[in-house]
Amino acid sequence: GWLMQMLIGLLLIASGAAKVWAGRSMKGAPNFPLVLGTGAVSALMGLVVLFGLNLNFGILLGIELLASGLALVLLAMHRRGQV
């Protein structure tokens, strides 16, 4: 019920904050706004879940996984110097 909804919402918000924090090292890189955007998407999904907006949880989870994957790929490319 509500406890699981609160935990998932807080987890998504923390995930978004971590992506924004990790993306700080990319300041000045061309993909910097994309990494910040993925963090914002995660935080927004957390707020949607936390405030209980009636959306399909599977769609929210899919969007979160796509945003996380994109952020990881962009951070790895930056570390390898390809971007």
Side-chain angles (χ1 to χ4, degrees):
W2 65 270
L3 181 62
M4 182 67 80
Q5 180 179 358
M6 185 179 298
L7 288 175
I8 291 173
L10 292 175
L11 178 69
L12 288 172
I13 291 171
S15 171
K19 288 175 195 168
V20 169
W21 184 77
R24 292 181 313 137
S25 67
M26 292 181 61
K27 192 169 273 189
N31 289 335
F32 176 67
L34 291 174
V35 174
L36 289 183
T38 59
V41 166
S42 295
L44 181 65
M45 293 298 148
L47 290 173
V48 166
V49 170
L50 199 61
F51 289 125
L53 297 177
N54 194 10
L55 295 175
N56 188 347
F57 183 69
I59 292 174
L60 293 179
L61 184 61
I63 292 170
E64 166 60 23
L65 288 173
L66 286 172
S68 293
L70 178 63
L72 288 173
V73 166
L74 293 173
L75 287 171
M77 288 174 61
H78 179 72
R79 293 286 291 169
R80 292 186 74 185
Q82 294 179 355
V83 177

